[in-house]
Amino acid sequence: GVFFDITRTARLELIRQEFLSSVSHELRTPLTSILAFVETLETGALDDPESSRRFLSIIRKNASRMHGLIDDILELTAIEGGNVHLRPTHVELAPLVDEAISALDAKAQARGIRVTNQVPPNAGVYADARRLERMLTNLIDNGIKFNRPNGHVRIRHESAARDKIIVEDDGEGIPQHHLERLFERFYRVDRSRSSDMGGTGLGLAIVKHLTLLHGGEVTVASEPRKGTAFTIHLPHQPS
Ligand code: ADP
């Protein structure tokens, strides 16, 4: 006889359905807004150049949100489907952090946030460089987005039983009761704030899955109005 574990299959099916329904909902919101503004343009607003420009910029913002969402969904499903294969090597951390910072430089400047790389020049970790940069980018991006004017984001490294890469900010912080669910797909503390910032709600889920693939984990400590620190823990290079 052949036995199938139906409970596991049923559970996976439920998770898949919930995910599909969240994705549809997330795509629907910007799409509804795009359709509404196109309609407004068609029914007369085109004749007013100033409103036209404003509506086009809203349409662009929503379209790029959908674009970002689809990219993140593809990335997450590839990781979860076991289709992402890491190529870990010895990586010099400081230059990688510099690259992630410069990619977000315009955003940080626009919001008046200072981002500093405090990783010592000799620090190295064992990781897939491209994936690690993606994790750092997601965390630094959040540190910039959920900050206050003249806020500060710092990236540090500590070596203990595992390598620790810490991304900490002195921004708005996260109330304790949200922390447990923070890494779930589409979980946000403040949905409308996340959308205003162009967020997809998938950034932390991607960080979590990528650190797990590295045999590590990501943790968070936060205090409202004081700030938040995310720590990526990575195993040392096997000898
Ligand atoms: P998003 O696209 O909304 O940034 P994430 O998965 O990256 O999605 O983050 C989920 C939520 O966690 C955010 O919407 C925000 O509420 C909260 N969050 C993440 N990072 C920070 C941070 N550094 N400070 C405060 N809140 C944060």
Side-chain angles (χ1 to χ4, degrees), residues 56-93:
L56 278 176
S57 112
I58 299 175
I59 291 171
R60 167 193 280 278
K61 198 172 140 206
N62 280 286
S64 79
R65 204 174 130 201
M66 292 175 72
H67 199 281
L69 188 61
I70 290 168
D71 278 352
D72 280 359
I73 290 167
L74 288 176
E75 167 108 8
L76 198 57
T77 41
I79 304 170
E80 289 189 350
N83 296 321
V84 167
H85 302 289
L86 298 185
R87 283 195 216 105
T89 53
H90 174 83
V91 179
E92 280 183 39
L93 189 57

mmCIF file of all heavy atoms in Angstrom, residues 56-93:
data_model
loop_
_atom_site.group_PDB
_atom_site.id
_atom_site.type_symbol
_atom_site.label_atom_id
_atom_site.label_comp_id
_atom_site.label_asym_id
_atom_site.label_seq_id
_atom_site.Cartn_x
_atom_site.Cartn_y
_atom_site.Cartn_z
ATOM 1 N N LEU A 56 -0.714 61.443 -14.304
ATOM 2 C CA LEU A 56 0.252 60.504 -14.908
ATOM 3 C C LEU A 56 1.280 60.056 -13.885
ATOM 4 O O LEU A 56 1.689 58.896 -13.869
ATOM 5 C CB LEU A 56 0.956 61.155 -16.101
ATOM 6 C CG LEU A 56 0.156 61.115 -17.405
ATOM 7 C CD1 LEU A 56 0.896 61.879 -18.505
ATOM 8 C CD2 LEU A 56 -0.085 59.666 -17.854
ATOM 9 N N SER A 57 1.677 60.984 -13.001
ATOM 10 C CA SER A 57 2.693 60.587 -12.025
ATOM 11 C C SER A 57 2.099 59.596 -11.007
ATOM 12 O O SER A 57 2.792 58.680 -10.544
ATOM 13 C CB SER A 57 3.347 61.810 -11.393
ATOM 14 O OG SER A 57 3.013 61.932 -10.059
ATOM 15 N N ILE A 58 0.809 59.739 -10.693
ATOM 16 C CA ILE A 58 0.166 58.755 -9.803
ATOM 17 C C ILE A 58 0.080 57.392 -10.507
ATOM 18 O O ILE A 58 0.343 56.349 -9.907
ATOM 19 C CB ILE A 58 -1.248 59.230 -9.388
ATOM 20 C CG1 ILE A 58 -1.140 60.559 -8.633
ATOM 21 C CG2 ILE A 58 -1.946 58.177 -8.534
ATOM 22 C CD1 ILE A 58 -2.476 61.175 -8.282
ATOM 23 N N ILE A 59 -0.256 57.442 -11.803
ATOM 24 C CA ILE A 59 -0.348 56.185 -12.564
ATOM 25 C C ILE A 59 1.013 55.488 -12.589
ATOM 26 O O ILE A 59 1.134 54.293 -12.348
ATOM 27 C CB ILE A 59 -0.862 56.461 -13.996
ATOM 28 C CG1 ILE A 59 -2.335 56.886 -13.936
ATOM 29 C CG2 ILE A 59 -0.685 55.240 -14.896
ATOM 30 C CD1 ILE A 59 -2.907 57.384 -15.248
ATOM 31 N N ARG A 60 2.063 56.293 -12.818
ATOM 32 C CA ARG A 60 3.409 55.706 -12.848
ATOM 33 C C ARG A 60 3.769 55.092 -11.494
ATOM 34 O O ARG A 60 4.292 53.982 -11.419
ATOM 35 C CB ARG A 60 4.433 56.778 -13.220
ATOM 36 C CG ARG A 60 5.869 56.321 -12.969
ATOM 37 C CD ARG A 60 6.806 57.485 -13.048
ATOM 38 N NE ARG A 60 7.096 57.797 -14.423
ATOM 39 C CZ ARG A 60 8.010 57.144 -15.140
ATOM 40 N NH1 ARG A 60 8.688 56.171 -14.592
ATOM 41 N NH2 ARG A 60 8.245 57.451 -16.379
ATOM 42 N N LYS A 61 3.440 55.795 -10.418
ATOM 43 C CA LYS A 61 3.778 55.315 -9.075
ATOM 44 C C LYS A 61 3.089 53.962 -8.808
ATOM 45 O O LYS A 61 3.704 53.028 -8.294
ATOM 46 C CB LYS A 61 3.326 56.351 -8.052
ATOM 47 C CG LYS A 61 3.974 56.192 -6.702
ATOM 48 C CD LYS A 61 3.620 57.355 -5.805
ATOM 49 C CE LYS A 61 3.378 56.826 -4.402
ATOM 50 N NZ LYS A 61 2.486 57.650 -3.609
ATOM 51 N N ASN A 62 1.829 53.866 -9.199
ATOM 52 C CA ASN A 62 1.100 52.619 -8.963
ATOM 53 C C ASN A 62 1.590 51.493 -9.856
ATOM 54 O O ASN A 62 1.664 50.337 -9.428
ATOM 55 C CB ASN A 62 -0.399 52.844 -9.155
ATOM 56 C CG ASN A 62 -1.011 53.493 -7.941
ATOM 57 O OD1 ASN A 62 -1.191 52.852 -6.916
ATOM 58 N ND2 ASN A 62 -1.290 54.783 -8.026
ATOM 59 N N ALA A 63 1.926 51.843 -11.113
ATOM 60 C CA ALA A 63 2.448 50.806 -12.014
ATOM 61 C C ALA A 63 3.789 50.301 -11.486
ATOM 62 O O ALA A 63 4.063 49.098 -11.507
ATOM 63 C CB ALA A 63 2.597 51.361 -13.430
ATOM 64 N N SER A 64 4.623 51.207 -10.965
ATOM 65 C CA SER A 64 5.921 50.728 -10.501
ATOM 66 C C SER A 64 5.763 49.929 -9.208
ATOM 67 O O SER A 64 6.554 49.020 -8.941
ATOM 68 C CB SER A 64 6.952 51.854 -10.412
ATOM 69 O OG SER A 64 6.777 52.581 -9.278
ATOM 70 N N ARG A 65 4.729 50.219 -8.445
ATOM 71 C CA ARG A 65 4.452 49.409 -7.267
ATOM 72 C C ARG A 65 4.096 47.972 -7.684
ATOM 73 O O ARG A 65 4.556 46.999 -7.100
ATOM 74 C CB ARG A 65 3.294 50.037 -6.506
ATOM 75 C CG ARG A 65 3.303 49.666 -5.059
ATOM 76 C CD ARG A 65 2.242 50.433 -4.340
ATOM 77 N NE ARG A 65 1.447 49.514 -3.554
ATOM 78 C CZ ARG A 65 0.221 49.775 -3.139
ATOM 79 N NH1 ARG A 65 -0.359 50.909 -3.467
ATOM 80 N NH2 ARG A 65 -0.419 48.901 -2.413
ATOM 81 N N MET A 66 3.275 47.858 -8.732
ATOM 82 C CA MET A 66 2.915 46.517 -9.213
ATOM 83 C C MET A 66 4.147 45.781 -9.727
ATOM 84 O O MET A 66 4.318 44.587 -9.516
ATOM 85 C CB MET A 66 1.873 46.615 -10.334
ATOM 86 C CG MET A 66 0.535 47.107 -9.846
ATOM 87 S SD MET A 66 -0.638 47.342 -11.185
ATOM 88 C CE MET A 66 -1.008 45.658 -11.619
ATOM 89 N N HIS A 67 5.008 46.552 -10.396
ATOM 90 C CA HIS A 67 6.240 45.976 -10.930
ATOM 91 C C HIS A 67 7.105 45.406 -9.804
ATOM 92 O O HIS A 67 7.557 44.260 -9.849
ATOM 93 C CB HIS A 67 6.978 47.094 -11.676
ATOM 94 C CG HIS A 67 7.990 46.619 -12.641
ATOM 95 N ND1 HIS A 67 9.229 46.203 -12.251
ATOM 96 C CD2 HIS A 67 7.954 46.475 -13.979
ATOM 97 C CE1 HIS A 67 9.907 45.827 -13.308
ATOM 98 N NE2 HIS A 67 9.159 45.974 -14.384
ATOM 99 N N GLY A 68 7.289 46.222 -8.751
ATOM 100 C CA GLY A 68 8.096 45.797 -7.610
ATOM 101 C C GLY A 68 7.497 44.574 -6.927
ATOM 102 O O GLY A 68 8.211 43.646 -6.530
ATOM 103 N N LEU A 69 6.174 44.587 -6.846
ATOM 104 C CA LEU A 69 5.475 43.486 -6.190
ATOM 105 C C LEU A 69 5.703 42.180 -6.954
ATOM 106 O O LEU A 69 6.029 41.144 -6.358
ATOM 107 C CB LEU A 69 3.982 43.825 -6.126
ATOM 108 C CG LEU A 69 3.100 42.908 -5.312
ATOM 109 C CD1 LEU A 69 3.533 42.903 -3.862
ATOM 110 C CD2 LEU A 69 1.645 43.365 -5.400
ATOM 111 N N ILE A 70 5.574 42.252 -8.273
ATOM 112 C CA ILE A 70 5.749 41.041 -9.081
ATOM 113 C C ILE A 70 7.192 40.535 -8.986
ATOM 114 O O ILE A 70 7.437 39.346 -8.829
ATOM 115 C CB ILE A 70 5.299 41.291 -10.530
ATOM 116 C CG1 ILE A 70 3.769 41.434 -10.533
ATOM 117 C CG2 ILE A 70 5.734 40.171 -11.464
ATOM 118 C CD1 ILE A 70 3.176 41.956 -11.803
ATOM 119 N N ASP A 71 8.158 41.464 -9.027
ATOM 120 C CA ASP A 71 9.573 41.053 -8.865
ATOM 121 C C ASP A 71 9.778 40.326 -7.539
ATOM 122 O O ASP A 71 10.417 39.277 -7.482
ATOM 123 C CB ASP A 71 10.490 42.282 -8.863
ATOM 124 C CG ASP A 71 10.800 42.741 -10.271
ATOM 125 O OD1 ASP A 71 10.426 42.020 -11.219
ATOM 126 O OD2 ASP A 71 11.395 43.824 -10.413
ATOM 127 N N ASP A 72 9.231 40.897 -6.454
ATOM 128 C CA ASP A 72 9.406 40.295 -5.129
ATOM 129 C C ASP A 72 8.716 38.931 -5.030
ATOM 130 O O ASP A 72 9.248 38.002 -4.436
ATOM 131 C CB ASP A 72 8.859 41.222 -4.037
ATOM 132 C CG ASP A 72 9.836 42.341 -3.698
ATOM 133 O OD1 ASP A 72 10.924 42.369 -4.295
ATOM 134 O OD2 ASP A 72 9.504 43.178 -2.843
ATOM 135 N N ILE A 73 7.515 38.829 -5.645
ATOM 136 C CA ILE A 73 6.798 37.547 -5.600
ATOM 137 C C ILE A 73 7.604 36.481 -6.345
ATOM 138 O O ILE A 73 7.761 35.353 -5.872
ATOM 139 C CB ILE A 73 5.396 37.681 -6.225
ATOM 140 C CG1 ILE A 73 4.512 38.541 -5.315
ATOM 141 C CG2 ILE A 73 4.748 36.324 -6.441
ATOM 142 C CD1 ILE A 73 3.233 38.996 -5.972
ATOM 143 N N LEU A 74 8.140 36.864 -7.514
ATOM 144 C CA LEU A 74 8.927 35.882 -8.286
ATOM 145 C C LEU A 74 10.144 35.431 -7.490
ATOM 146 O O LEU A 74 10.466 34.245 -7.449
ATOM 147 C CB LEU A 74 9.364 36.490 -9.631
ATOM 148 C CG LEU A 74 8.234 36.663 -10.653
ATOM 149 C CD1 LEU A 74 8.746 37.349 -11.909
ATOM 150 C CD2 LEU A 74 7.629 35.299 -11.008
ATOM 151 N N GLU A 75 10.800 36.394 -6.858
ATOM 152 C CA GLU A 75 11.996 36.067 -6.075
ATOM 153 C C GLU A 75 11.648 35.124 -4.915
ATOM 154 O O GLU A 75 12.288 34.099 -4.704
ATOM 155 C CB GLU A 75 12.599 37.369 -5.538
ATOM 156 C CG GLU A 75 13.651 37.179 -4.466
ATOM 157 C CD GLU A 75 15.049 37.488 -4.946
ATOM 158 O OE1 GLU A 75 15.177 37.996 -6.072
ATOM 159 O OE2 GLU A 75 15.993 37.210 -4.196
ATOM 160 N N LEU A 76 10.567 35.479 -4.203
ATOM 161 C CA LEU A 76 10.174 34.687 -3.036
ATOM 162 C C LEU A 76 9.746 33.279 -3.439
ATOM 163 O O LEU A 76 10.129 32.294 -2.800
ATOM 164 C CB LEU A 76 9.027 35.410 -2.323
ATOM 165 C CG LEU A 76 8.747 35.017 -0.890
ATOM 166 C CD1 LEU A 76 9.974 35.203 -0.034
ATOM 167 C CD2 LEU A 76 7.606 35.874 -0.334
ATOM 168 N N THR A 77 8.981 33.157 -4.527
ATOM 169 C CA THR A 77 8.520 31.814 -4.912
ATOM 170 C C THR A 77 9.698 30.993 -5.426
ATOM 171 O O THR A 77 9.744 29.787 -5.231
ATOM 172 C CB THR A 77 7.386 31.843 -5.967
ATOM 173 O OG1 THR A 77 7.678 32.834 -6.927
ATOM 174 C CG2 THR A 77 6.056 32.148 -5.354
ATOM 175 N N ALA A 78 10.682 31.656 -6.075
ATOM 176 C CA ALA A 78 11.868 30.912 -6.524
ATOM 177 C C ALA A 78 12.632 30.368 -5.319
ATOM 178 O O ALA A 78 13.042 29.206 -5.296
ATOM 179 C CB ALA A 78 12.763 31.814 -7.368
ATOM 180 N N ILE A 79 12.783 31.202 -4.289
ATOM 181 C CA ILE A 79 13.518 30.746 -3.088
ATOM 182 C C ILE A 79 12.764 29.594 -2.432
ATOM 183 O O ILE A 79 13.319 28.543 -2.126
ATOM 184 C CB ILE A 79 13.682 31.876 -2.053
ATOM 185 C CG1 ILE A 79 14.376 33.094 -2.655
ATOM 186 C CG2 ILE A 79 14.480 31.382 -0.850
ATOM 187 C CD1 ILE A 79 14.334 34.321 -1.748
ATOM 188 N N GLU A 80 11.456 29.810 -2.227
ATOM 189 C CA GLU A 80 10.669 28.795 -1.524
ATOM 190 C C GLU A 80 10.540 27.513 -2.329
ATOM 191 O O GLU A 80 10.415 26.431 -1.777
ATOM 192 C CB GLU A 80 9.284 29.341 -1.186
ATOM 193 C CG GLU A 80 9.349 30.393 -0.105
ATOM 194 C CD GLU A 80 7.979 30.797 0.396
ATOM 195 O OE1 GLU A 80 6.979 30.410 -0.225
ATOM 196 O OE2 GLU A 80 7.924 31.495 1.397
ATOM 197 N N GLY A 81 10.560 27.624 -3.658
ATOM 198 C CA GLY A 81 10.441 26.441 -4.503
ATOM 199 C C GLY A 81 11.764 25.696 -4.629
ATOM 200 O O GLY A 81 11.871 24.728 -5.381
ATOM 201 N N GLY A 82 12.788 26.169 -3.927
ATOM 202 C CA GLY A 82 14.085 25.496 -3.974
ATOM 203 C C GLY A 82 14.827 25.765 -5.279
ATOM 204 O O GLY A 82 15.730 25.031 -5.666
ATOM 205 N N ASN A 83 14.441 26.846 -5.991
ATOM 206 C CA ASN A 83 15.089 27.125 -7.274
ATOM 207 C C ASN A 83 16.184 28.176 -7.196
ATOM 208 O O ASN A 83 16.661 28.654 -8.213
ATOM 209 C CB ASN A 83 14.040 27.577 -8.304
ATOM 210 C CG ASN A 83 13.055 26.457 -8.586
ATOM 211 O OD1 ASN A 83 13.454 25.297 -8.654
ATOM 212 N ND2 ASN A 83 11.776 26.795 -8.708
ATOM 213 N N VAL A 84 16.547 28.551 -5.975
ATOM 214 C CA VAL A 84 17.655 29.496 -5.830
ATOM 215 C C VAL A 84 18.826 28.723 -5.236
ATOM 216 O O VAL A 84 18.701 28.131 -4.166
ATOM 217 C CB VAL A 84 17.247 30.672 -4.914
ATOM 218 C CG1 VAL A 84 18.445 31.488 -4.505
ATOM 219 C CG2 VAL A 84 16.220 31.544 -5.624
ATOM 220 N N HIS A 85 19.925 28.686 -5.965
ATOM 221 C CA HIS A 85 21.084 27.939 -5.471
ATOM 222 C C HIS A 85 22.189 28.918 -5.123
ATOM 223 O O HIS A 85 22.633 29.691 -5.968
ATOM 224 C CB HIS A 85 21.531 26.914 -6.506
ATOM 225 C CG HIS A 85 20.421 25.963 -6.842
ATOM 226 N ND1 HIS A 85 19.979 25.002 -5.959
ATOM 227 C CD2 HIS A 85 19.621 25.879 -7.923
ATOM 228 C CE1 HIS A 85 18.965 24.354 -6.487
ATOM 229 N NE2 HIS A 85 18.715 24.868 -7.685
ATOM 230 N N LEU A 86 22.582 28.878 -3.860
ATOM 231 C CA LEU A 86 23.573 29.841 -3.395
ATOM 232 C C LEU A 86 24.959 29.478 -3.876
ATOM 233 O O LEU A 86 25.282 28.297 -4.035
ATOM 234 C CB LEU A 86 23.585 29.870 -1.869
ATOM 235 C CG LEU A 86 22.315 30.304 -1.157
ATOM 236 C CD1 LEU A 86 22.574 30.377 0.342
ATOM 237 C CD2 LEU A 86 21.848 31.649 -1.683
ATOM 238 N N ARG A 87 25.767 30.517 -4.112
ATOM 239 C CA ARG A 87 27.192 30.287 -4.353
ATOM 240 C C ARG A 87 27.971 31.025 -3.277
ATOM 241 O O ARG A 87 28.463 32.129 -3.486
ATOM 242 C CB ARG A 87 27.584 30.814 -5.746
ATOM 243 C CG ARG A 87 27.129 29.873 -6.809
ATOM 244 C CD ARG A 87 27.802 30.147 -8.147
ATOM 245 N NE ARG A 87 26.810 29.895 -9.178
ATOM 246 C CZ ARG A 87 26.201 30.836 -9.845
ATOM 247 N NH1 ARG A 87 26.512 32.091 -9.666
ATOM 248 N NH2 ARG A 87 25.287 30.535 -10.730
ATOM 249 N N PRO A 88 28.067 30.404 -2.081
ATOM 250 C CA PRO A 88 28.747 31.113 -0.998
ATOM 251 C C PRO A 88 30.264 31.115 -1.191
ATOM 252 O O PRO A 88 30.844 30.112 -1.632
ATOM 253 C CB PRO A 88 28.357 30.317 0.254
ATOM 254 C CG PRO A 88 27.865 29.006 -0.225
ATOM 255 C CD PRO A 88 27.554 29.091 -1.673
ATOM 256 N N THR A 89 30.868 32.261 -0.897
ATOM 257 C CA THR A 89 32.328 32.388 -0.931
ATOM 258 C C THR A 89 32.715 33.285 0.246
ATOM 259 O O THR A 89 31.838 33.815 0.941
ATOM 260 C CB THR A 89 32.804 33.106 -2.221
ATOM 261 O OG1 THR A 89 32.094 34.342 -2.322
ATOM 262 C CG2 THR A 89 32.586 32.272 -3.463
ATOM 263 N N HIS A 90 34.016 33.491 0.413
ATOM 264 C CA HIS A 90 34.445 34.463 1.417
ATOM 265 C C HIS A 90 34.166 35.859 0.840
ATOM 266 O O HIS A 90 34.643 36.186 -0.245
ATOM 267 C CB HIS A 90 35.933 34.295 1.719
ATOM 268 C CG HIS A 90 36.446 35.356 2.628
ATOM 269 N ND1 HIS A 90 36.319 35.280 3.998
ATOM 270 C CD2 HIS A 90 37.040 36.540 2.370
ATOM 271 C CE1 HIS A 90 36.825 36.374 4.538
ATOM 272 N NE2 HIS A 90 37.276 37.153 3.564
ATOM 273 N N VAL A 91 33.369 36.638 1.542
ATOM 274 C CA VAL A 91 32.981 37.958 1.025
ATOM 275 C C VAL A 91 33.518 39.037 1.955
ATOM 276 O O VAL A 91 33.350 38.953 3.175
ATOM 277 C CB VAL A 91 31.435 38.084 0.986
ATOM 278 C CG1 VAL A 91 31.016 39.459 0.484
ATOM 279 C CG2 VAL A 91 30.815 36.995 0.138
ATOM 280 N N GLU A 92 34.175 40.042 1.364
ATOM 281 C CA GLU A 92 34.578 41.197 2.172
ATOM 282 C C GLU A 92 33.344 42.044 2.409
ATOM 283 O O GLU A 92 32.710 42.510 1.460
ATOM 284 C CB GLU A 92 35.634 42.009 1.433
ATOM 285 C CG GLU A 92 37.008 41.418 1.551
ATOM 286 C CD GLU A 92 38.036 42.303 0.869
ATOM 287 O OE1 GLU A 92 37.908 43.542 0.974
ATOM 288 O OE2 GLU A 92 38.926 41.753 0.230
ATOM 289 N N LEU A 93 33.021 42.246 3.675
ATOM 290 C CA LEU A 93 31.718 42.847 3.993
ATOM 291 C C LEU A 93 31.653 44.357 3.734
ATOM 292 O O LEU A 93 30.667 44.851 3.173
ATOM 293 C CB LEU A 93 31.373 42.537 5.460
ATOM 294 C CG LEU A 93 29.963 42.903 5.893
ATOM 295 C CD1 LEU A 93 28.925 42.218 5.024
ATOM 296 C CD2 LEU A 93 29.748 42.513 7.348
#
